[in-house]
C-alpha cells in the first residue's frame, strides 16, 4: 500500500483508508476470479502491528500477506491458516452438499447454498496445502 498511499500523503495507518483500499482490491480480485494477497508490513519489528493488519486482511478474504522479513512468516501462517473449527465446519458443509439434492440446505442451523459450498471447498484446499501447526 505504501507505493500508492505515500506519494498521495495518505496515512497508511489510517484504519478507514486501509480498510477501504483492501476491500476495493479484494472485490476487484474476486470479480476477476483471482485471489488477493495483502501488502507488506514494513515495520518487521512490530509483530502486533503485522498481526493486526493480517487479521484485517483475512477478514476481507485475502489468502495471505507478503512478508518482508523472515520473522513475519510464522505470524502470517498463524493468521491465515484456517482454524480447526473452520476446517471442521467446511468438512460438514462439503459432506452435506454431496448428500443433498437441494439447491439450499442447512448445516449447524445455517442456510447453505452454492457460495457457501465454494467457500468451504476453498477452506479445505487451503488446509491441505499448509504445514501442520507447530506446538
Amino acid at each position: 500500500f505504501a507505493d500508492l498511499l505515500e506519494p498521495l500523503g495518505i496515512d497508511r495507518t489510517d484504519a478507514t483508508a486501509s480498510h477501504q483500499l483492501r476491500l476495493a482490491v479484494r472485490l476487484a480480485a474476486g470479480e476477476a476470479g483471482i485471489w488477493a494477497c495483502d501488502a507488506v508490513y514494513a515495520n518487521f519489528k512490530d509483530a502486533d502491528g503485522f498481526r493486526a493488519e493480517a487479521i484485517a486482511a483475512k477478514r476481507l478474504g485475502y489468502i495471505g500477506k507478503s512478508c518482508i522479513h523472515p520473522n513475519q512468516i510464522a505470524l502470517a501462517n498463524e493468521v491465515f491458516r484456517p482454524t480447526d473449527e473452520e476446517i471442521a465446519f467446511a468438512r460438514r458443509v462439503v459432506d452435506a452438499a454431496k448428500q443433498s439434492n437441494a439447491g439450499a440446505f442447512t448445516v449447524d442451523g445455517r442456510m447453505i447454498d452454492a457460495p457457501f459450498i465454494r467457500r468451504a471447498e476453498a477452506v479445505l484446499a487451503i488446509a491441505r496445502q499448509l504445514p501442520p501447526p507447530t506446538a
Side-chain angles (χ1 to χ4, degrees), residues 12-103:
R12 184 185 190 288
T13 63
D14 181 278
T16 302
S18 292
H19 179 80
Q20 290 179 354
L21 182 57
R22 278 189 183 88
L23 180 58
V25 168
R26 180 61 187 108
L27 289 172
E31 285 299 307
I34 59 175
W35 290 104
C37 186
D38 195 33
V40 165
Y41 187 79
N43 185 353
F44 59 86
K45 293 184 178 184
D46 180 8
D48 291 336
F50 180 92
R51 183 178 281 107
E53 265 199 13
I55 290 168
K58 181 182 180 180
R59 292 186 71 188
L60 290 174
Y62 282 73
I63 63 163
K65 184 162 186 60
S66 295
C67 298
I68 197 168
H69 192 274
N71 69 9
Q72 295 175 328
I73 296 169
L75 292 171
N77 285 339
E78 172 191 320
V79 170
F80 288 97
R81 171 185 207 82
T83 65
D84 292 342
E85 293 80 18
E86 290 170 326
I87 294 167
F89 179 72
R91 281 193 186 118
R92 289 193 298 278
V93 167
V94 170
D95 289 346
K98 289 176 184 174
Q99 296 174 6
S100 177
N101 292 327

